Amino acid sequence: MINIKRPSETFMKLSKQYGPVFSIQMGGVKMVVLSGYETVKMALIDYADEFAERPHIPMFEDINKGFGVPFSHGENWKTMRRFTLSKLRDFGMGRTTIEDRIVEECGFIVRALESLEGKPVDLTIKTNFAIGNIIISIIFGHRFDYQHPILLRLLGLISENMKLVGSPSIVMYNLFPIFYYVCGSHGRVMQNIKDIHNFLRTEFVERLKELDRDDQRGFIDAFLVKQEEEKLDPNTYFHEMNLMSTVTSLFMAGTETTSSTIRWALAYMIIHPEIQRRVHEEIDRVIGSAQPRIDHRKNMPYTNAVIHETQRFANILPMDLPRETTRDVTFQGYHIPKGTYIVPLLESVLYDETQFERPEAFYPEHFLDSKGAFLKKAAFMPFSAGRRSCPGETLAKMELFLFFTSLMQKFTFHAAPGVTSFQVKPSVGLTSPPSSPKICCRPRS
């Protein structure tokens, strides 16, 4: 009954038959699926406290042991989320300091693509490196060269795990934990996590040798300083496992989703050359040959609309990360017990026909008013909403605008020679990165 490779497709069909709130038994898990903007918004925002927990999912419990931010619980989650948000802001999120780092990284990826002289390329590795370097600079305080073996290895492990944890075999393991004994992907995921943690432990030891509480270089330094301050507290949350899980989550969440969105955007430019032409015209008119900066965004409604429409249409995280009820709740006439597994179907929000005129089409005008000014939409929820919304939303929005405009300023994007029908499809994984042929990045004259 369920499309295990893409369960959201099945849930979308079931919601049309059974309405915006329905339950389904998947293995040993009874899930309540919420669909449509009004229902999901009511749950995540109006009933934020009641839908604020995260269920205990076998694969993620194995990875995080209940620590970190995305899949932790109770006071541990509150403390780590508060600290992480605070330090992301301290190290530049939403400020000029991080904008300068992003602008610098835009220069590196532009030069890397210019060196190809228009030859076909798979942009996955290069966009992962560029976006990965931003989160690395926040965590460590410096970037890596694109050929650096540590960067190659680290981002390779992260990319593989993002695919594996959303694979059918892991989905089956989460529903039927007995599958642990036959799920080969599980062992691969855990080995990758072990390799990431070994690298991080080495990095922590090296940083402790030069740690200066008055000159903190990045997130890790800030955590280690806090750990030292609370070392005599037996109940402290600032210990190695929380550091490991938090940093690993920052890598995974801070790289793959934004990198995938940029690749989706460029693929849509190839599919819709008229939209690409209009973006080029707006960039030429507003920015010219100057370096794109975040201040340009307010004068670029069409480009901003294209980026928002990419996030809506690409639907990177169609089922959100699951929630769990913190107490018994009566919701839209239904009694939902404490501890119920909740699926906020983000795809149903981003494709809600009551909120978007042409939900099944790539249509930037969804985010433009009749005069061509940028139009905010309440149903634009790619970062989720409420207590468990994405803590890196501000950073991701800045990255998307600066990378997209910098690439579009310098290049025109085309299908590779010989490709008569350029098609792009979502890949299987925890997120939905694009699977497409190689593309050509031709320098603009």
Side-chain angles (χ1 to χ4, degrees), residues 170 183-192:
I170 295 294
C183 179
S185 297
H186 179 279
R188 185 65 187 168
V189 169
M190 295 309 296
Q191 182 59 52
N192 289 347

Side-chain angles (χ1 to χ4, degrees), residues 32 36 69 75 107 112 119 232 334 344 361 400-401:
V32 172
V69 179
E75 285 302 316
K119 296 173 185 172
L232 298 179
Y334 296 96
L400 289 173
F401 180 79

Side-chain angles (χ1 to χ4, degrees), residues 307-369:
I307 294 170
H308 278 68
E309 180 65 356
T310 296
Q311 291 183 268
R312 184 198 72 81
F313 196 61
N315 185 28
I316 292 288
L317 198 61
M319 298 197 301
D320 199 349
L321 294 179
R323 304 291 182 96
E324 183 179 280
T325 47
T326 58
R327 60 179 77 107
D328 290 0
V329 57
T330 299
F331 182 78
Q332 292 195 1
Y334 296 96
H335 173 72
I336 303 177
K338 176 184 178 180
T340 301
Y341 190 116
I342 304 293
V343 178
L345 195 57
L346 285 189
E347 181 172 342
S348 70
V349 179
L350 299 174
Y351 280 65
D352 191 328
E353 59 189 19
T354 69
Q355 302 297 312
F356 298 100
E357 181 184 349
R358 296 167 57 184
E360 300 295 332
F362 184 78
Y363 188 60
E365 283 75 9
H366 284 139
F367 296 93
L368 296 169
D369 65 15

Side-chain angles (χ1 to χ4, degrees), residues 66-311:
F67 299 115
V69 179
F71 289 94
S72 62
H73 315 279
E75 285 302 316
N76 189 97
W77 166 68
K78 291 178 183 177
T79 302
M80 286 298 104
R81 181 179 170 88
R82 187 164 53 244
F83 178 82
T84 300
L85 278 169
S86 170
K87 294 309 168 185
L88 286 176
R89 285 191 288 266
D90 287 349
F91 292 108
M93 188 173 76
R95 299 181 184 178
T96 304
T97 49
I98 200 65
E99 181 181 0
D100 291 340
R101 291 183 189 177
I102 298 170
V103 166
E104 179 188 33
E105 200 61 46
C106 288
F108 285 114
I109 192 172
V110 164
R111 287 192 287 277
L113 295 181
E114 284 175 338
S115 69
L116 298 172
E117 299 179 338
K119 296 173 185 172
V121 61
D122 180 348
L123 287 178
T124 303
I125 293 177
K126 286 183 168 52
T127 54
N128 281 352
F129 282 2
I131 300 300
N133 256 333
I134 303 304
I135 201 69
I136 283 170
S137 71
I138 291 174
I139 292 171
F140 297 129
H142 63 82
R143 70 179 295 278
F144 287 115
D145 181 83
Y146 289 175
Q147 301 305 315
H148 198 292
I150 289 178
L151 182 66
L152 287 165
R153 178 67 175 150
L154 194 58
L155 294 182
L157 294 170
I158 290 168
S159 182
E160 183 177 27
N161 267 12
M162 291 294 281
K163 293 175 184 175
L164 289 175
V165 295
S167 65
S169 63
I170 295 294
V171 170
M172 292 304 293
Y173 165 60
N174 288 333
L175 298 174
F176 302 95
I178 192 69
F179 271 62
Y180 171 84
Y181 297 100
V182 295
C183 179
S185 297
H186 179 279
R188 185 65 187 168
V189 169
M190 295 309 296
Q191 182 59 52
N192 289 347
I193 290 294
K194 182 179 178 181
D195 291 347
I196 293 171
H197 286 183
N198 285 340
F199 159 71
L200 292 176
R201 281 193 183 92
T202 302
E203 187 71 25
F204 300 161
V205 170
E206 291 301 313
R207 299 186 82 78
L208 276 169
K209 294 176 183 176
E210 303 173 358
L211 188 62
D212 182 352
R213 63 177 300 110
D214 298 320
D215 184 21
Q216 298 171 21
R217 295 157 290 181
F219 180 88
I220 291 176
D221 282 14
F223 194 103
L224 293 174
V225 167
K226 186 72 172 177
Q227 187 178 29
E228 180 66 20
E229 290 174 355
E230 297 194 4
K231 66 181 180 181
L232 298 179
D233 181 357
N235 299 314
T236 182
Y237 292 106
F238 293 89
H239 48 71
E240 184 183 88
M241 273 310 300
N242 258 329
L243 179 53
M244 290 286 192
S245 294
T246 302
V247 171
T248 302
S249 297
L250 285 172
F251 274 133
M252 294 182 73
T255 301
E256 190 72 25
T257 51
T258 305
S259 172
S260 294
T261 304
I262 290 170
R263 297 198 307 279
W264 274 112
L266 299 179
Y268 292 145
M269 295 304 94
I270 296 171
I271 296 169
H272 303 282
E274 174 62 20
I275 294 175
Q276 180 168 198
R277 183 187 63 77
R278 289 185 63 181
V279 171
H280 280 147
E281 288 175 353
E282 188 172 68
I283 289 173
D284 293 345
R285 184 175 66 254
V286 177
I287 303 176
S289 60
Q291 173 62 52
R293 305 292 300 199
I294 206 67
D295 279 348
H296 289 123
R297 184 167 55 186
K298 62 180 179 292
N299 297 316
M300 300 177 69
Y302 191 77
T303 300
N304 198 15
V306 167
I307 294 170
H308 278 68
E309 180 65 356
T310 296
Q311 291 183 268

